Amino acid sequence: MWIMVAGPWGLGTRSEEEKAANLRRMNQAALEVFNLEDVPIIGVNAALPLLLEAPIERHREIMMGVSLALAERCDAILRLPGESSGADEEVAVLRAAGKPVWYSISEIPAG
């Protein structure tokens, strides 16, 4: 199963270190998803190469374009705690498609 891992990344961060810590939390959760024999997908990780090349004013457009396109292809989503309008949009895509939304690794059935 392809499982999107969604959570806070840049919204409300005060530093690049805080942003990096948010991404680390998503990557750690992704490893746990992988350990359940599923494929973790993180929109930020897919969008980062584009963000490094694009002007700042296009970052949200690119980030959400990539993330939402990936969300449409995923089978489920793991929503990590914390405020994130982007993660909430990803959840909405999966919910609208009738796909599972989980809030804890323990909710994910073993692959």
Side-chain angles (χ1 to χ4, degrees):
M1 190 172 354
W2 283 36
I3 300 175
M4 176 160 268
V5 177
W9 179 56
L11 179 68
T13 56
R14 292 178 293 280
S15 67
E16 287 301 313
E17 291 79 19
E18 193 174 345
K19 213 172 180 181
N22 286 342
L23 186 54
R24 227 175 359 265
R25 277 189 289 282
M26 283 191 281
N27 287 334
Q28 289 165 348
L31 179 57
E32 291 184 56
V33 167
F34 182 79
N35 289 340
L36 292 172
E37 300 181 1
D38 293 303
V39 178
I41 305 295
I42 301 174
V44 176
N45 286 341
L48 274 175
L50 301 172
L51 298 179
L52 292 172
E53 300 301 322
I56 190 86
E57 59 271 3
R58 293 208 52 217
H59 280 200
R60 172 124 177 110
E61 166 202 352
I62 291 167
M63 169 61 80
M64 293 316 300
V66 169
S67 290
L68 295 176
L70 287 170
E72 290 175 0
R73 288 160 177 78
C74 287
D75 302 303
I77 190 165
L78 172 62
R79 174 59 163 96
L80 301 179
E83 182 183 349
S84 173
S85 59
D88 292 342
E89 288 180 54
E90 293 163 352
V91 165
V93 167
L94 277 284
R95 266 211 180 104
K99 296 178 181 178
V101 176
W102 297 306
Y103 294 91
S104 168
I105 290 286
S106 65
E107 296 178 47
I108 301 172

